[in-house]
Every structure is written in structure tokens, then in C-alpha cells.
Amino acid sequence: MKTFILTLLFGFVLISCEHKRDVKTLRKLFNETNYDTAVIQSTPLYDSLKNIIISYIDTIFKFRNSRHFVYHGDTGKETQEDADFYNFYYNYGEATSLSYGTGPNDQKLIDEVSVENMPTFIYPSVDRIFKQLGKDKILGFTLWKDSTIEITVKSFYREKENADVGHILVWKRIYATNIDPDFFYRDTLIAPKWTYQIWVDDHQGF
């Protein structure tokens, strides 16, 4: 009986320690978060970036696949494996934002997310558009094998609400309509095949 009571008390402690979303605060912030007109007006630049990427998608995947090695803990070896998507994020002069520490594997980790990790003859055109848009309108993008492009326009932390806010542009892929009132996400079509998404959620702590 004593063991049962201790187990029950431990269960209550675990439940009480679970994080509970502040839905009311998140909903208020979500309702106050609007689409950025400057982003919408920059659609031609995003479209130019998309055209470059799609023109060379096979070359980009071949380049990144050849450098994509996965470590297998059971064998202690790395093997080359093709991936379904790759991330390409811009530095904007802040090296630590693409680094995960100061260890010997940092360069590899940076390469996994750096926009510079693409064929050298493609990068200058991509770099030029990133500079035209600036860090307030593009942080990076994810390129999928099916040619979907997800551009992270901006992502920031709201300390007052302890919440994360994200603005994303998606080319090609269409997501299901959100019908969950406590899942704070909405999108709108701003041009053919271009969807503008906004989301708000609890801060994830990283």
C-alpha cells in the first residue's frame, strides 16, 4: 500500500510539472500578428530565387548528396546517404548563428545549414537575392526533393508572451486547412503557388 501511495504521489508530481500552454496569451498574440506587406510586395524577388533554385535543383541535390554522410552508432561508421531535403541559411555576418559550438566538427555542422554549401557557380546569384531582400525578409530556405521550397522569412521570440512567432513562404506544396482552434497557424495564397504562413507557439527554449 505504501509503495502504491508513493507511486501515485510521484505520478501527480510528474503531471504538475508538465508544461501547460497559455492558450489565451498565444491566441491574443496570434490575433495581433499580421502578414507583412513588405514581404508580399517582394514576391518578385522570392520568385527569382525560386527560378534559380528550380533550374538547378538536380545539380544542387547531387552536390549536397555527395557530401551528406550519416553516422551510425551501431557500427561506428559514416555512410553517404541521399536526403529528401536540405537547409540553406544565410550567415549575415553572425557566424555563431550557424554554429553549434567550437568543436572540431563545427564546420561540418555549419555546412549542413549554410546557403554557401552549394555549387559555386550557383551561389553568387542566390547571394545577390538574399542581399536584396535582407535579414528582415529572408533567413534561409529548405529545398525538398519534390521541388517544394520553404522560405523562412523571419522567426523571432516574444519575451512578454514567452512565445515564438514565424513567417514562412512556401512554393508549390499546399498544406491542409487548420481546423484546430488551439493550433495557431494560418496561411494565405499571395501569388500562383506561393503560400504565406504565420504561426505562433510556446517558446521551445532554443
Side-chain angles (χ1 to χ4, degrees), residues 77-183:
K77 296 180 180 180
E78 286 188 342
T79 59
Q80 184 279 323
E81 295 183 12
D82 294 351
D84 292 329
F85 66 90
Y86 287 107
N87 294 311
F88 300 84
Y89 281 79
Y90 204 74
N91 194 317
Y92 289 113
E94 301 169 2
T96 54
S97 65
L98 296 182
S99 175
Y100 297 84
T102 56
N105 294 322
D106 279 0
Q107 188 59 51
K108 178 182 176 182
L109 291 168
I110 292 172
D111 285 346
E112 287 294 320
V113 297
S114 175
V115 72
E116 295 182 43
N117 191 13
M118 65 170 61
T120 54
F121 74 93
I122 302 173
Y123 175 69
S125 299
V126 173
D127 179 59
R128 183 169 58 252
I129 295 176
F130 265 81
K131 287 177 177 175
Q132 287 179 276
L133 287 166
K135 63 181 178 181
D136 291 329
K137 288 188 284 188
I138 186 168
L139 297 177
F141 64 88
T142 300
L143 175 62
W144 293 79
K145 194 162 58 175
D146 69 353
S147 74
T148 293
I149 301 172
E150 296 183 358
I151 297 175
T152 301
V153 175
K154 47 187 160 184
S155 180
F156 53 91
Y157 171 59
R158 289 277 299 231
E159 184 175 3
K160 179 182 177 182
E161 296 87 356
N162 191 35
D164 294 321
V165 179
H167 292 241
I168 298 173
L169 287 179
V170 181
W171 184 77
K172 184 179 178 180
R173 187 176 296 170
I174 302 296
Y175 291 89
T177 302
N178 175 35
I179 58 174
D180 184 346
D182 293 335
F183 178 53

Side-chain angles (χ1 to χ4, degrees), residues 3-13:
T3 302
F4 172 75
I5 293 173
L6 287 174
T7 303
L8 189 62
L9 287 173
F10 181 67
F12 281 131
V13 169

Side-chain angles (χ1 to χ4, degrees), residues 1-107:
M1 182 66 178
K2 184 178 180 181
T3 302
F4 172 75
I5 293 173
L6 287 174
T7 303
L8 189 62
L9 287 173
F10 181 67
F12 281 131
V13 169
L14 287 177
I15 292 172
S16 65
C17 289
E18 286 183 0
H19 176 68
K20 187 176 181 180
R21 294 172 78 232
D22 187 346
V23 173
K24 183 178 179 181
T25 297
L26 291 174
R27 179 174 288 109
K28 183 176 184 295
L29 176 59
F30 182 64
N31 290 336
E32 294 171 351
T33 302
N34 300 311
Y35 295 109
D36 188 335
T37 55
V39 170
I40 296 173
Q41 291 168 357
S42 298
T43 301
L45 278 176
Y46 295 114
D47 216 43
S48 295
L49 177 62
K50 177 265 298 179
N51 290 338
I52 295 169
I53 295 167
I54 297 304
S55 294
Y56 295 107
I57 186 170
D58 291 339
T59 303
I60 292 172
F61 265 93
K62 183 178 180 180
F63 179 90
R64 289 292 292 265
N65 282 336
S66 69
R67 291 159 172 76
H68 184 240
F69 289 84
V70 178
Y71 176 77
H72 299 275
D74 55 339
T75 63
K77 296 180 180 180
E78 286 188 342
T79 59
Q80 184 279 323
E81 295 183 12
D82 294 351
D84 292 329
F85 66 90
Y86 287 107
N87 294 311
F88 300 84
Y89 281 79
Y90 204 74
N91 194 317
Y92 289 113
E94 301 169 2
T96 54
S97 65
L98 296 182
S99 175
Y100 297 84
T102 56
N105 294 322
D106 279 0
Q107 188 59 51

